Amino acid sequence: MAKLMVLTLLGLGLALFRDHRASYLTRLNAFREVTPVELPNCNLVKGIETGSEDLEILPNGLAFISSGLRYPGIKSFEPDKPGKILLVDLNEEDQTVLELKIIGSKFDESSFNPHGISTFTDEDNTVYLLVVNHPDFKSTVEVFKFQEEEKSLLHLKTIRHKLLPNLNDIVAVGPEHFYATNDHYFTDVYLKSWELYLGLAWSYVVYYSPTEVQVMAGGFDFANGINISPDGKYVYISELLAHKIHVYEKHANWTLTPLKSLDFNTLVDNISVDPVTGDLWVGCHPNGIRIFFYDSENPPASEVIRIQNILTEEPKVRVVYADNGTVLQGSTVASVYKGKLLVGTVFHKALCCEL
C-alpha cells in the first residue's frame, strides 16, 4: 500500500512537472521563428555595444539611453563594468553617443546598474531623469536633474521602499512621483526562479510619491514596461510572459481601473508613446527562450510593433521591424522622432532607421 502511494505521488509530481514545463515553454513562446520585416536606411548607432535597454526621447530630439544592464539570468557582454546613461542627438544625420557625466558625491557610480528610465519636465523646463537602478542586484530609483549645457546628470536623490523590491520599468508623473513595475514578487533568487517557472503571476505595479506609496495593480505574469497616454488619462502596462498589454484608466487620486487588454504573439517589453499621435511603440522578444538561455549561434530575435488607436474597439497592430538576431539581438524598446525609429536592446546594440 505504501509503495502504491509513493508511486501515485511520483506520478502526480511528474504530471505536474510536465504541465508546468509545457506552460513555461508556451509563456516563453519557445517555438516561434521570426519572419524578417525590414526598414529602409537602418544603421547601428556607433558606440553602443553592451545594451540600450530603455530609452526616452525629449521633444528636442535628445535621447537618453540606459546601457550596461546586469540582470540575473540575462546575458551581459561586460558583467564587471558599471552601467551608464548615454545621450544621442537624433537631429544629427550620423548619430554620435555621449556618456553623461554623473555629478553627486553620494552617488556610487561603481555599482550603477540602470534599467528602466523616464523623464519629467517641470513648468520651468527643468528635465528630471528617473532611473531604475540595481546596485548589488537590489532596486532603487535614482532621481537626476539633466544639465544640458554641461551634458551631465546631477544626482538629487535615491529612493528605496519595501514596495519597490524588484523594479523593472518606471513612468514619471512628477519630479519624485511615478508608477513602477515590479517584475517579481519574491526577492530571494531561488524563489524568484520558481515564481517564473510556475507562472505564479504575483508581480505588480506601484504608485510612489514622497507622501504615499501604494500597490495599484497586480496579478501579472512578469510586469514589465509601463507608460502613460499623452493626456495623462491612461496607463499602459506590458505583461511579458502573458503576451499582453493592459490599458488602465488613471484617476485623480492616482488609482487605476482596468479598461481592456490586448493579446500578442510575442513577449512585449518596454512601451513608448508617441506624444503627438498617442501611438504605442513596443520593443518585443519573439522567442523568450533565446533571451533567458543565450546562444551566440542562435541569438535572440528583435521585433517592434506599433499600436494605433488603442482605446478604440479595433486597434491597429502592425509589425514595423523584425530581425532574426543577425543585425539586432533582443530588442526591448522602440521610440520615434521626426520619421526616425530608434530601437534598443537588453544587452546588444541599438539601431536607428528611417520610417
Side-chain angles (χ1 to χ4, degrees):
M1 186 70 177
K3 289 182 179 178
L4 181 61
M5 287 182 65
V6 170
L7 288 171
T8 302
L9 289 171
L10 284 172
L12 286 170
L14 286 170
L16 284 170
F17 177 79
R18 284 196 301 269
D19 288 346
H20 281 301
R21 178 174 170 77
S23 170
Y24 180 68
L25 293 174
T26 299
R27 288 160 55 233
L28 286 174
N29 228 17
F31 306 108
R32 185 176 164 206
E33 298 294 337
V34 168
T35 301
V37 177
E38 296 181 352
L39 285 171
N41 198 16
C42 287
N43 295 289
L44 294 170
V45 180
K46 296 173 185 176
I48 299 180
E49 303 289 339
T50 58
S52 43
E53 202 282 335
D54 201 8
L55 62 91
E56 186 96 349
I57 304 174
L58 295 177
N60 62 4
L62 294 179
F64 297 105
I65 299 174
S66 66
S67 183
L69 174 66
R70 288 158 286 136
Y71 188 95
I74 300 293
K75 177 71 176 176
S76 171
F77 289 118
E78 288 187 343
D80 299 321
K81 291 188 177 181
K84 49 202 172 187
I85 300 296
L86 306 175
L87 188 71
V88 174
D89 188 347
L90 293 176
N91 296 295
E92 296 177 353
E93 280 209 18
D94 188 18
Q95 287 92 19
T96 55
V97 172
L98 174 71
E99 180 180 348
L100 290 174
K101 182 181 179 182
I102 295 177
I103 299 170
S105 59
K106 294 183 179 180
F107 183 72
D108 180 14
E109 286 191 67
S110 66
S111 65
F112 192 34
N113 188 10
H115 199 166
I117 64 176
S118 183
T119 59
F120 180 80
T121 304
D122 224 335
E123 292 177 355
D124 62 358
N125 290 321
T126 300
V127 176
Y128 297 91
L129 180 69
L130 279 65
V131 181
V132 170
N133 185 23
H134 301 295
D136 302 316
F137 299 107
K138 296 179 174 62
S139 284
T140 65
V141 173
E142 310 296 342
V143 182
F144 299 98
K145 177 184 175 182
F146 177 48
Q147 301 181 131
E148 186 172 349
E149 287 189 11
E150 297 88 346
K151 297 295 187 289
S152 65
L153 295 171
L154 175 64
H155 184 250
L156 301 177
K157 187 174 185 178
T158 296
I159 295 172
R160 299 179 180 88
H161 196 275
K162 63 182 179 180
L163 290 178
L164 306 173
N166 295 296
L167 293 175
N168 187 301
D169 197 17
I170 186 171
V171 57
V173 291
E176 297 179 28
H177 307 66
F178 55 84
Y179 292 96
T181 56
N182 285 290
D183 57 26
H184 288 76
Y185 174 82
F186 294 109
T187 55
D188 178 82
V189 174
Y190 180 74
L191 292 176
K192 284 167 80 170
S193 65
W194 277 107
E195 178 184 350
L196 185 71
Y197 180 74
L198 296 174
L200 296 181
W202 289 354
S203 67
Y204 53 97
V205 171
V206 169
Y207 169 73
Y208 177 93
S209 76
T211 58
E212 177 189 9
V213 187
Q214 187 177 344
V215 175
M216 292 300 185
F220 299 112
D221 190 359
F222 204 112
N224 198 318
I226 188 166
N227 217 318
I228 196 165
S229 61
D231 60 9
K233 294 181 179 179
Y234 303 95
V235 171
Y236 309 119
I237 301 165
S238 65
E239 188 177 6
L240 185 80
L241 296 179
H243 317 158
K244 293 178 182 288
I245 288 179
H246 302 276
V247 181
Y248 282 78
E249 186 176 359
K250 181 178 75 67
H251 303 289
N253 62 356
W254 305 104
T255 57
L256 301 175
T257 302
L259 197 63
K260 65 187 297 186
S261 297
L262 277 69
D263 296 284
F264 303 91
N265 184 29
T266 192
L267 280 66
V268 282
D269 203 312
N270 291 324
I271 302 168
S272 299
V273 179
D274 188 315
V276 178
T277 65
D279 295 350
L280 276 63
W281 294 80
V282 189
C284 305
H285 308 289
N287 185 322
I289 282 285
R290 295 176 188 170
I291 280 288
F292 288 101
F293 302 94
Y294 182 77
D295 177 3
S296 59
E297 299 298 316
N298 191 18
S302 292
E303 188 172 43
V304 174
I305 60 175
R306 179 188 187 183
I307 308 168
Q308 296 172 279
N309 306 317
I310 191 169
L311 298 173
T312 66
E313 292 185 6
E314 295 185 5
K316 183 180 178 182
V317 179
R318 184 165 65 95
V319 176
V320 176
Y321 175 82
D323 177 73
N324 62 9
T326 304
V327 176
L328 202 67
Q329 301 179 14
S331 58
T332 52
V333 63
S335 193
V336 292
Y337 174 77
K338 291 187 176 179
K340 293 180 180 178
L341 174 69
L342 185 61
V343 186
T345 64
V346 63
F347 53 75
H348 195 231
K349 302 175 186 289
L351 189 74
C352 189
C353 301
E354 289 184 7
L355 290 170

